[in-house]
Amino acid sequence: MNRFLRNGHGLLLAYDQGFEHGPSDFNAKNVDPAYILDIARRAQVFTGLILQKGVAERYYPRVKSQESRVKNNIPPLIVKLNGKTAFHRGEEPFAPLVCTVAEAIELGASAVGYTVYVGSEYEAKMTRTLGDIVRESNHRRIPTIAWMYLRGKHISDPHDRQKLAYAARLGLELGADAVKLQFTLFPRHSERSEESRPQQDIQDLRWIVQNAGKCKVFVSGGSKIPDDQALQLTKVVKQAGAAGLAVGRNIWQRDNPVEFAKQIADILYS
Ligand code: FBP
């Protein structure tokens, strides 16, 4: 995973929402994958770029060597191997495999990503597939990043911190090199006192990181939140010892994506 880290931390730019959510996340600018590539190049702070295979095939630049990729400020590619659309809300979540490890490598991937809906009726199917992916990725010497999302009829709160620690541990047990989790700060309406929240956020995320052991923990950005909250989340990630963030909408839905990415990176890499 070291290729995806800078000073021990990583900032991954996620752009698979066209698959997961459809056009509702986009405006006239960020609907164009070339715009996202341009943000990644100009910001020079991203340690990975997450794409589905179709976008990777048509937009991720084919470079002759890793050196020329670095020289052209193109972050290493992470190809997402499964996904589901937003048409099936309310149904038990399952994301089928749409790309293989071999295909991803062919497209230039330096890592692969796969979502497991922990707590879904289909969890067993997804953990089995993740096992197969890890086996093949290890064989081909690239890391596997597991999106371990709490979702399905056995989950009442997708942000429950003890269950997030369980999901992180499951990622370690399944052999993933990193997990991506939907950890969020205590909401403003939370019962917890405002003064105690930041410390508790750090303590809880640290426990999650401990459960993940040598498997790196990335926190997912989620829907767009105010600047101060996104920066506070970054501070918590750093102080808890998590590897970093995997963000999409909180970067490319902003009017100043490059500048904002640099603000996040300043905290993360300092
Ligand atoms: P965001 O930072 O935009 O949330 O992206 C992170 C991510 O995990 C994407 O990789 C994925 O498309 C999306 O969130 C999944 O969102 P949802 O929670 O709706 O399934």
Side-chain angles (χ1 to χ4, degrees), residues 179-222:
V179 287
K180 184 163 172 289
L181 303 171
Q182 291 183 312
F183 175 89
T184 48
L185 299 178
F186 280 118
R188 284 179 203 270
H189 61 263
S190 122
E191 282 167 12
R192 214 161 260 285
S193 76
E194 209 169 318
E195 305 76 60
S196 72
R197 282 180 215 159
Q199 271 318 311
Q200 193 63 48
D201 283 331
I202 294 167
Q203 198 177 306
D204 292 346
L205 184 55
R206 194 172 286 146
W207 176 237
I208 292 168
V209 170
Q210 282 171 347
N211 273 275
K214 288 187 178 176
C215 174
K216 305 281 180 199
V217 173
F218 287 86
V219 168
S220 156

Side-chain angles (χ1 to χ4, degrees), residues 7-267:
N7 287 344
H9 290 90
L11 183 57
L12 312 178
L13 182 60
Y15 189 65
D16 59 336
Q17 292 78 357
F19 190 136
E20 299 285 333
H21 304 152
S24 58
D25 278 352
F26 296 145
N27 61 26
K29 268 186 182 173
N30 58 36
V31 70
D32 182 1
Y35 174 72
I36 307 302
L37 257 302
D38 188 54
I39 292 172
R41 267 198 210 97
R42 288 193 293 131
Q44 298 183 30
V45 295
F46 294 105
T47 55
L49 175 65
I50 301 160
L51 302 174
Q52 280 280 357
K53 71 169 181 186
V55 175
E57 190 168 19
R58 290 170 181 81
Y59 293 88
Y60 189 76
R62 296 298 174 109
V63 286
K64 287 202 186 78
S65 63
Q66 289 298 336
E67 289 73 36
S68 64
R69 183 185 58 67
V70 173
K71 211 170 109 205
N72 290 296
N73 299 317
I74 305 161
L77 175 65
I78 300 157
V79 171
K80 191 73 202 308
L81 302 184
N82 67 340
K84 65 164 181 52
T85 69
F87 290 109
H88 301 268
R89 287 199 203 289
E91 294 173 22
E92 272 305 279
F94 172 69
L97 202 62
V98 294
C99 181
T100 65
V101 176
E103 281 172 326
I105 291 173
E106 191 72 19
L107 293 169
S110 302
V112 291
Y114 180 84
T115 302
V116 174
Y117 292 113
V118 180
S120 159
E121 276 296 279
Y122 303 113
E123 180 196 283
K125 221 168 148 180
M126 289 177 274
T127 50
R128 190 182 313 132
T129 305
L130 180 59
D132 293 341
I133 290 168
V134 167
R135 193 173 307 115
E136 184 162 3
S137 301
N138 286 347
H139 179 66
R140 293 173 181 268
R141 299 187 180 284
I142 64 165
T144 304
I145 304 172
W147 277 227
M148 301 299 282
Y149 284 3
L150 301 172
R151 196 168 299 175
K153 72 178 194 190
H154 299 286
I155 301 293
S156 51
D157 174 6
H159 306 293
D160 179 302
R161 293 170 177 198
Q162 188 69 344
K163 292 203 176 77
L164 282 171
Y166 194 164
R169 185 68 182 202
L170 185 56
L172 170 72
E173 306 269 354
L174 287 164
D177 298 278
V179 287
K180 184 163 172 289
L181 303 171
Q182 291 183 312
F183 175 89
T184 48
L185 299 178
F186 280 118
R188 284 179 203 270
H189 61 263
S190 122
E191 282 167 12
R192 214 161 260 285
S193 76
E194 209 169 318
E195 305 76 60
S196 72
R197 282 180 215 159
Q199 271 318 311
Q200 193 63 48
D201 283 331
I202 294 167
Q203 198 177 306
D204 292 346
L205 184 55
R206 194 172 286 146
W207 176 237
I208 292 168
V209 170
Q210 282 171 347
N211 273 275
K214 288 187 178 176
C215 174
K216 305 281 180 199
V217 173
F218 287 86
V219 168
S220 156
S223 55
K224 193 173 151 204
I225 50 178
D227 289 19
D228 61 329
Q229 285 178 37
L231 297 174
Q232 174 59 19
L233 179 63
T234 311
K235 287 179 191 156
V236 168
V237 163
K238 172 95 192 234
Q239 287 172 29
L245 289 145
V247 276
R249 290 166 286 176
N250 270 289
I251 298 293
W252 47 256
Q253 282 184 347
R254 285 190 144 74
D255 293 335
N256 58 344
V258 170
E259 292 69 27
F260 197 70
K262 286 181 178 168
Q263 286 183 46
I264 290 183
D266 280 347
I267 298 169

